[in-house]
Amino acid sequence: MSKPQLILLGAPGSGKGTQAKRLVSEFGFGHISTGDLLRAEIAKASELGKKVKSIMDAGELVNDQVVLELLNANCDLTNNVYIFDGFPRNGEQAALLEDFVLKGTPAKAIYFKVDFEQIIERITNRRLAPKSGEIYNLLTRKPKVDGKCDVSGEDLIHRDDDKEEVVRNRLEVFKKTIEPVLEYYKSKTQLVELDASRPADVVFEDLKKLID
Ligand code: AMP
């Protein structure tokens, strides 16, 4: 497989989910978002879903092993290039990803850098279509019909953990845990940084260059 696996790193609201979806539709990569996988467990009301709901509602991190198992059950690297979105979140997860999933497969980590004040504005205006996976923003990417997904027509939701108080906690958690992840990939010379405060189309053009 010539293209490396892609690991997207960035604070909640840095735009990595939106860009991941564009990369998937343009290049056909697989997309693994641990946040989406966990939300799917909650929607199914599985045992795992019941266990993680209150942790996620508070904006805290779910146990590393639990997320690793979910990740492993949902990807097969034999013939696929994946975009890892939302994993790893801390230094331990970076090592787990390498030892139990990538196992030496070439990979590139892309860090989406954005100013935190800008993030609060972005996330509190974010709306999600749970079935189609489309992501909207009331300021920069409004749905054509208020409160409805352009693609599926379903009702848009405001994630409980996208409310301002929880967003602030998620950003605190991010600040405390991301540094060792960046160091990990820097030491392996796999880290690339991207200015993600620019409009989504501009960021996407840069991403395409990084991938080619
Ligand atoms: P996200 O959609 O990536 O913002 O994730 C939403 C929530 O899911 C996070 O605030 C965590 O509670 C949980 N979560 C997602 N990915 C991970 C992970 N890699 N490790 C621990 N918790 C995670």
Side-chain angles (χ1 to χ4, degrees), residues 38 48 51-52 55 60-69 87 90 93 96:
L38 289 163
L48 175 61
K51 228 188 283 176
V52 299
I55 301 171
E60 298 292 332
L61 291 184
V62 173
N63 173 277
D64 292 345
Q65 282 299 333
V66 167
V67 188
L68 176 71
E69 274 171 37
F87 193 101
N90 56 32
Q93 290 188 3
L96 290 171

